[in-house]
Amino acid sequence: MELQHHLIGDHTTLEVMHAEVRAVLEGRAPALAPPQPFRNLVAQARLGVSSEAHEAFFREMLADIDEPTTPFGLSEVRGDGRGSREAQRMLPEALNDRLRDQARRLGVSLASLCHLAWGQVVARSSGREQAVFGTVLFGRMHAGAGADRTMGLFINTLPVRLDLDGTGVEESVRATHARLSELLSHEHASLALAQRCSGVAAPAPLFGALLNYRHNTPAQTPAMSGVGPSDVLSGIEWLGGEERTNYPLTLAVEDFGEALGLTAQVVEPISPIASAATCSGRSNSWSRR
């Protein structure tokens, strides 16, 4: 049984660790490459974008946000994930193809298109047109040589704001893509710093929903989480795995290259009365967009 807190590692860390365990059990330990030190990431983060630049970016984005964005009224972000329920679905092939075609036509990433769609869900379920939610950044894109083989915590969760105010769909998609591109330059900023740049007074959370766009290998498609069949050692039966966050509402978009899946987690219960009241306050313009 393996238990790992996100304070010390992310999914890539799990993959690196499992590959090393497999090498040791198969007698290939001497062939393992020297460990890559995590301190390289620390140096990269400290020598990169300054805290002043981070603060200026997030203050411009969040300064006028003075209320938490809490879909379905879910605001407790300090739990441990227990009591949450999970659902997984693969999208129909036709829908997967349409989404990828639209992203190519608009010249944006599929992740940007999915962020805008999630922003619509967050806005409609929270009664706000300025939707703020957390997005998970990979953290290894600009972390230096050997980052793909380093164990440790590289991912970061940062807020993204989308203004869903009647702007046309294509313009909204491109604006979302531009905002995510800007956010990548600040991928190692402190979440606490970002939250302080908003008008939401502590200890209230800035947001209660999370989106994690994940690039997975095709071997992981059946399980959609945890370790795929390629990671199972000969003679060992894989029983399963689970991942939890302390956010009350999370959605992972599972991109398998040629297929798309969704993994949703939500704390229980969601009050149907509160949900109906929140969504009924939205403008009918949503149906025309």
Side-chain angles (χ1 to χ4, degrees), residues 218-233:
Q220 292 173 311
T221 305
M224 293 216 303
S225 64
V227 183
S230 61
D231 285 310
V232 177
L233 291 163

Side-chain angles (χ1 to χ4, degrees), residues 170-222:
E170 292 194 9
E171 185 178 346
S172 294
V173 172
R174 293 192 174 99
T176 302
H177 185 76
R179 172 139 291 176
L180 291 174
S181 298
E182 293 172 345
L183 190 63
L184 282 177
S185 299
H186 301 272
E187 65 177 348
H188 295 301
S190 161
L191 175 57
L193 179 150
Q195 293 188 140
R196 288 197 301 270
C197 292
S198 75
V200 178
L206 174 61
F207 55 86
L210 190 68
L211 179 67
N212 189 0
Y213 192 95
R214 302 195 286 207
H215 293 275
N216 299 327
T217 60
Q220 292 173 311
T221 305

Side-chain angles (χ1 to χ4, degrees), residues 68-76 122 125-127 208 248-249 267 269-271 274-275 278:
T69 303
T70 53
F72 305 108
L74 301 172
S75 60
E76 179 53 67
V122 170
S125 57
S126 62
L249 179 63
V267 296
I270 292 181
S271 168
S275 301
T278 298

